[in-house]
Amino acid sequence: MKMRPLLTYASLSFATMTSMAQIADAGPDTTLCVDFYTMQGSPLPPGATGTWAIIAGCGSIMDMNDPLTLTVNLCVGTNVFIWTVNDNGQLDTDTLLITVFDASMANANAGMDQTIIEPQNYAFLNGTPTPLYPATCWWSWVLGFGAVTANDPNTPVVDMLVGDNILAWTCDNGPCGLTSDTVTIHMLMATGLSNADADGAPSMA
């Protein structure tokens, strides 16, 4: 008896492959120092359509149906877009996060050096700029000792040691750059100073 060829599994496999919808890919998340970006959405097969939409932040999409469209006027901060692919009625979506840093943010400046005299053992710092998210700035000790609030540009610094106390104000502005500046607080002993010097207000170096 002649055997019929078994084609059942091959036919089922082929049918499964051809019925799969196009997978949406909005491209890799990115960080920028500019307010524009060329999108990197997945290409569209024949008969499929794609649509960009913004769901958080801001931006102007030049062609909402082009996977490689230019988007301008992005906000500083996190901007969230969604790429939706419609492949013959079957939908798939993917999200894209574009994080924009402020290109106009000033370089770190730790403020003017200061001189204080015992028994005073505190001073107020004056770092600039105050960072705008997603940028961050912080104080760190280079020399000496004391207590500060690390992310406060105008923090008091207390419990310093006699001598030179040096702190750095560092700002991380992502792809726009990392800058740092130092301030020195000279803490003097009152011994041997005149009453006028010992009782006077802290002077600026």
Side-chain angles (χ1 to χ4, degrees):
M1 182 174 62
K2 184 181 293 185
M3 300 293 292
R4 293 182 179 180
L6 298 177
L7 301 176
T8 303
Y9 296 110
S11 298
L12 287 174
S13 177
F14 179 77
T16 301
M17 292 176 61
T18 56
S19 66
M20 291 179 61
Q22 173 70 19
I23 301 298
D25 184 352
D29 296 341
T30 188
T31 58
L32 305 173
C33 190
V34 293
D35 66 351
F36 58 89
Y37 181 67
T38 299
M39 302 300 223
Q40 303 294 318
S42 52
L44 299 170
T49 59
T51 306
W52 287 105
I54 184 167
I55 58 176
C58 56
S60 300
I61 303 169
M62 305 307 292
D63 184 350
M64 63 186 301
N65 302 119
D66 181 359
L68 304 179
T69 187
L70 177 67
T71 298
V72 299
N73 299 324
L74 297 166
C75 294
V76 172
T78 301
N79 307 278
V80 184
F81 295 83
I82 187 168
W83 175 236
T84 301
V85 173
N86 184 340
D87 189 0
N88 296 307
Q90 299 189 62
L91 302 180
D92 193 47
T93 62
D94 190 35
T95 56
L96 167 67
L97 274 63
I98 303 177
T99 303
V100 178
F101 287 77
D102 185 5
S104 66
M105 191 177 89
N107 290 342
N109 186 328
M112 298 181 64
D113 293 346
Q114 304 179 45
T115 298
I116 61 174
I117 302 170
E118 285 188 318
Q120 181 177 330
N121 70 342
Y122 66 89
F124 289 91
L125 300 178
N126 186 28
T128 57
T130 299
L132 180 64
Y133 174 84
T136 56
C137 297
W138 64 92
W139 292 106
S140 59
W141 283 95
V142 178
L143 181 67
F145 175 83
V148 297
T149 301
N151 299 112
D152 181 359
N154 303 118
T155 182
V157 51
V158 298
D159 298 329
M160 288 177 291
L161 302 176
V162 171
D164 287 345
N165 298 272
I166 303 175
L167 296 102
W169 180 240
T170 302
C171 292
D172 183 357
N173 199 20
C176 300
L178 180 76
T179 58
S180 189
D181 187 40
T182 59
V183 60
T184 301
I185 303 174
H186 309 281
M187 185 171 174
L188 305 178
M189 296 180 63
T191 303
L193 297 177
S194 67
N195 289 337
D197 289 335
D199 295 337
S203 62
M204 304 301 292

